[in-house]
Amino acid sequence: MIVTLKINGEERSVSAAGWESLLNVLHDDLGLPGSKAACEQGECGSCSVILGDTLVCSCLVMVGSCEGADVTTVEGIADGDDLHPVQQAMYESAGVQCGFCTPGFVVAAKHLFDHNPTPSAIDITEALSGNICRCTGYGAILRGLVSLADDGERE
Amino acid sequence: MTTTSYRVAGRVGESVLRPDGIPKLTGNFAYISDLVADRMLWGATRRSPHAHARITKLDVAPALAMAGVVAVITQEDVPGNPRFGQVEQDQPVLCDGIARYWGEPVSVVAADDPETARLAAAAIVVEWEPLEPLSDPEVAVETDGKVIRQIRIERGDLSASGTVVVEGTYATATQDQAPLGPEAGLAIPDGSGGVDLYATTQWVHVDHSQIVDCLDVTPDQVRCHPAGIGGAFGAREDISLHIHLCLLAGITGRPVKMVYNRTESFVGHVKRHPSRMEYRHESDENGKLVKVSARVLLDGGAYAHTSEAVVANAAFFVVGPYNCANVEVDAIVVRTNNPPTGAMRGFGVVQTCFAHESQMDKLASAIGIGPLDIRRINALEAGDPLATTGQIIEGSLPTSRVLDALESIPMPEFETTDDPRLLPGGTGRTTEPSSVKRGVGYGLSLKNLAFSEAFDDFAEARVLLTTAGVEVHTAAMEVGQGLVTVCQQIARTVLGIEKVAVVFDDTSKIGSAGSTSASRQTQMTGGAVHAAAAQLLQKILDDHDGDELRDDGVYLTGQLVATIADICTDGPIEQWVQFSHPPTEEVDSKGQGNPHAGFAVAAHRAVVEVDVDLGLVRVVRIDTAQDVGRVLNPDAAIGQIEGGIMQGVGLAVMEEVVVDAGVIKNPTFTDYLLPTFLDAPSIEARFIEEPDHWGPFGAKGIGEPPTISSTPAVVAAIRDAIGKDLTRVPVRPQDIVGL
């Protein structure tokens, strides 16, 4: 089938079997490899995208169910060369090591801050508990995002 | 006139940000699983459904007959050595008629797309005669040909005895490294019989030699390229899909890509050895160790991999960072039909550290002193002999300072809360706050740095000055740990030039950097970069009669005497260095000698809260002090410490590859539990900086110690909370409530 999606603000059509995962279509067919396949069971969050206004694991979404949907992937978070504040915060706090989980964290953190610009540390922890990181132990990611939330408080 | 001091940004000691950070945050960093090539085929693997079985029929014709299938190969298609292995070449490239572990590759397929490749792999006809799997390592000890290596250590007077005796039997389960990026590779044929390989690895040169041997080609025909990789932790130290991809690319004449799914990843890489350990500690009435005896049994799984070195580490660090004059050890690693095991962060020391720390606590409690007291009384320091091999500790080893620093970190308050997110049961809202008990426990560890036992351990680096800046060339694997940043910092600091690019060269362009393992790359590749940069600087200063190099050229007493363009008139100036650490020795028949190049000590204090009714644990906090030699990048070092601790916490309370008669029962992220953000304790770390006798700026490797003693600290804290004698990790709910 031909599926038309609005990805990062741009309309894209792709020929795919309707049962294929949104992740595979993004990664292998649409030239958007930022979303990562790490468990393909919805456990690790490495493939997180925002579908409409909902944070989803794109490995668990059939592309055939996405006709006409708005999809935000990690490639659509920065504004050109300007990093999104969650990206800048994770960069400066050394919240990136191997980076394979990073796209999922960026997308999930953006979704959180879009809905709550001043989350507490435990709010951040809970909101990102669907994203597994094996390198950092989460501390640096938390420090970066807590400091971003503190900046939000001050504004 | 005012003078400003000259300073290059991003030097050693600063928290320099990663050069690959922004591409990773924007989704633009190329991992191997993202690579594509023109006319690329996809590979898939057919695996054994049995832990031990004989093939009675193998027919690839149905797969070959499928539309879109280009090649199907079996062991008969391997042109060179049919077996590989980085220590002992004992594993067939593809099943040799007998499958020796569950998931062993039998055949690989190349097809036009991944779905066709997977269907074709499934269409291969394989009939099996199941054989009894050897799944008990104790039985393997008594079976001919199953002992991979046995180490006997006898030091001091083995008839010595103490007045206080504690004994214990301990066990650790199989742990998976679970790097977020599964195994992936892309092999591209060069049209003249050779191949370029981009595959998940920790050491391109050791892959290269095995591939060349199995393909029966000349070394220059295979080029292994460092490429983007999603973590490692030991999982990539051994070959997985490398030879398969090179064979398929050679046979089809087309690029072939393969990416394991998570379940394949669980069976496709070696894991941490499960262990069984019997210990006896004897001390005087004050707790000073008189004698330690131990028997350590590791399950190596079907093939040797790095088991010989893992069991050596388990044996040599059986006592930990403690003085003891009389030591007797038998350490054995055996072959079974269980999942293959090999390298994982901590490499043999994780297992024995859990046992020796459990014993030290038991001893302290028998004598009636505190856990820090028993460790201080026996602390091994620089200049002391290692309890097992008798090797005198050269360089720094600030064990007492590490313990003092840990103790100085304030203890967190025990705050009662009704927020389920802060209770052991989490948002399952299962825990009654009144059922929660707090406990505190300690762990202290000693780890060797870099390769031991007379291994020819070296790293090559090439440093160039060009008109565009400095280039550092290495074949070392950056797997996420931050070597790329450290190499830049070292080159900047030595040369005084800010613009430094790190170029990861393939095996045809530069010699080996050794493995990204054993906490070694900062010291080894960092050491090579340091030496090459220092020699390059001297050459440039000598040639231009200067006393300082800056971004714009050579200076003499503050005056510019030659510009960078002048220096590079005839092209880039370069220096190539092969760096080795101080030589090490093999041990004698009683395990005595000097097998190690260096050591690091680390201490952990865990605070846990336990739901004593339901057996649930929340690790509230871990504090640590670590002997790091010299910190090159504080934020990156903290990242290693926090990430390493989380893998230690995982082994303590949740991570276990469940194996039944050789079959992995939980090879997915749904069933193999990994610590999430909500499982992460808050961590406070103190660096103890006493420069070591080798390594750039006195730096020590820092990657492994956090994983080693965090596990026993957490278990000790659970024991403190519930008063039970927990002897295996991970600690499960049933171990806590006593079902």
Side-chain angles (χ1 to χ4, degrees), chain B residues 189-327:
Chain B
D190 65 7
S192 52
V195 64
D196 288 89
L197 179 70
Y198 305 80
T200 43
T201 183
Q202 292 170 225
W203 187 0
V204 283
H205 281 83
V206 84
D207 296 343
H208 177 264
S209 56
Q210 293 172 81
I211 295 165
V212 165
D213 190 32
C214 294
L215 264 54
D216 195 23
V217 293
T218 56
D220 60 309
Q221 287 184 287
V222 177
R223 293 158 300 273
C224 294
H225 297 254
I229 169 172
F233 318 116
R236 329 287 201 193
E237 196 148 307
D238 292 285
I239 291 273
S240 55
L241 40 59
H242 308 66
I243 303 168
H244 301 160
L245 282 172
C246 291
L247 288 169
L248 288 171
I251 285 170
T252 62
R254 291 169 65 178
V256 184
K257 177 175 176 175
M258 185 148 42
V259 181
Y260 285 176
N261 65 26
R262 181 54 58 183
T263 295
E264 270 195 299
S265 180
F266 268 95
V267 299
H269 63 241
V270 297
K271 280 162 272 299
R272 189 188 300 291
H273 290 72
S275 68
R276 196 175 303 168
M277 301 167 285
E278 294 155 32
Y279 265 74
R280 180 183 169 95
H281 277 56
E282 301 182 43
S283 76
D284 66 17
E285 65 276 13
N286 300 315
K288 187 123 185 95
L289 289 174
V290 175
K291 188 183 175 197
V292 175
S293 323
R295 175 179 183 266
V296 176
L297 177 57
L298 303 180
D299 185 345
Y303 297 106
H305 298 286
T306 51
S307 281
E308 290 185 22
V310 175
V311 76
N313 263 20
F316 299 147
F317 295 95
V318 101
V319 178
Y322 304 113
N323 279 300
C324 183
N326 310 300
V327 175

Side-chain angles (χ1 to χ4, degrees), chain A residues 27 38 41 98 126 134 138, chain B residues 31 34 262 421 655 670 675:
Chain A
H27 188 277
Q41 290 191 332
C98 92
E126 186 179 23
R134 192 58 160 164
Y138 307 103
Chain B
Y31 295 88
D34 304 330
R262 181 54 58 183
R421 298 175 297 186
E655 288 186 40
T670 303

Side-chain angles (χ1 to χ4, degrees), chain B residues 8-31:
Chain B
V8 172
R11 288 188 178 212
V12 158
E14 299 174 31
S15 288
V16 178
L17 299 176
R18 299 182 68 99
D20 57 9
I22 291 173
K24 286 176 172 176
L25 281 151
T26 53
N28 293 313
F29 184 83
Y31 295 88

Side-chain angles (χ1 to χ4, degrees), chain B residues 1 65 236 270 284 310 333 340 419 444 456 461 491 631 635 652 677 680 710:
Chain B
M1 187 178 132
R236 329 287 201 193
V270 297
D284 66 17
V310 175
V333 62
D419 186 338
L444 183 65
D456 182 17
V631 179
D635 279 359
F677 224 127
S710 50

Side-chain angles (χ1 to χ4, degrees), chain B residues 520-597:
Chain B
R520 66 184 281 294
Q521 285 297 17
T522 290
Q523 281 179 284
M524 296 300 296
T525 292
V529 171
H530 185 270
Q535 290 171 26
L536 181 67
L537 174 69
Q538 199 55 54
K539 188 155 76 178
I540 291 167
L541 294 180
D542 289 350
D543 287 353
H544 297 277
D545 296 324
D547 58 13
E548 189 187 4
L549 183 62
R550 297 185 187 177
D551 281 316
D552 53 349
V554 172
Y555 282 71
L556 181 65
T557 59
Q559 298 296 313
L560 183 68
V561 293
T563 66
I564 298 291
D566 295 336
I567 301 167
C568 298
T569 305
D570 299 324
I573 314 284
E574 72 166 80
Q575 189 65 38
W576 197 313
V577 160
Q578 187 181 88
F579 176 84
S580 296
H581 61 62
T584 61
E585 304 167 2
E586 290 178 12
V587 293
D588 67 18
S589 60
K590 291 185 172 178
Q592 302 303 292
N594 301 299
H596 302 303

Side-chain angles (χ1 to χ4, degrees), chain B residues 432 435 610-616 737:
Chain B
E432 286 293 328
S435 302
V610 184
D611 179 330
V612 294
D613 294 333
L614 298 174
L616 303 170
V737 299

Side-chain angles (χ1 to χ4, degrees), chain A residues 9 26 29 32 34 43 61-62 64 69 80-81 89 96 103 131-132 134 147:
Chain A
L26 291 170
D29 300 332
L32 292 165
E43 296 288 345
V61 175
M62 288 195 293
D81 288 340
V96 179
N131 293 76
I132 289 173
R134 192 58 160 164
S147 111

